[in-house]
Amino acid sequence: MSESPKDDLDALREDFNKLREDVGKLTDTLKQLGLDRAHGAQEHLNERLDEARERLRERVDTAGQRGRAYYDQLEGRVGEHPFSSLLTAFGVGFVIAKLLDLGGRR
């Protein structure tokens, strides 16, 4: 123990100030750790997002290629049989028109 209560009080204040500094440093360290982890998680998320975008682009390209191939094939068939294609288109249009007309009468 110190010689006087004033010395004890000064020592106690000094200890509290040191404790306050230590808690502040600890808080800063914990914040930095949290930021580092959040930054790492964000980088991982960005990588996964880039991978998903690339897969989506590949699938869109594949679907586009298939669509173009189907269109080319259909165009070839229509060119080979123009009259039957015209009759088929007329028949399909007629059936759709009748179905829509029946839907309006209900």
Side-chain angles (χ1 to χ4, degrees), residues 70-85:
Y70 180 75
Y71 177 79
D72 291 343
Q73 184 182 19
L74 183 63
E75 188 178 37
R77 286 184 182 172
V78 169
E80 291 172 5
H81 309 285
F83 185 70
S84 61
S85 298

Side-chain angles (χ1 to χ4, degrees), residues 18-63:
K18 286 181 182 178
L19 181 61
R20 186 177 294 134
E21 288 176 18
D22 290 344
V23 169
K25 289 177 184 177
L26 180 61
T27 302
D28 292 341
T29 301
L30 289 174
K31 285 180 184 177
Q32 188 60 40
L33 281 173
L35 290 175
D36 289 346
R37 286 185 180 163
H39 183 66
Q42 183 180 9
E43 286 179 1
H44 179 70
L45 184 61
N46 286 338
E47 289 173 5
R48 298 284 306 260
L49 186 59
D50 290 342
E51 291 171 4
R53 283 181 185 152
E54 184 59 32
R55 284 194 308 268
L56 181 61
R57 277 190 209 114
E58 290 172 1
R59 289 181 180 171
V60 166
D61 288 344
T62 301

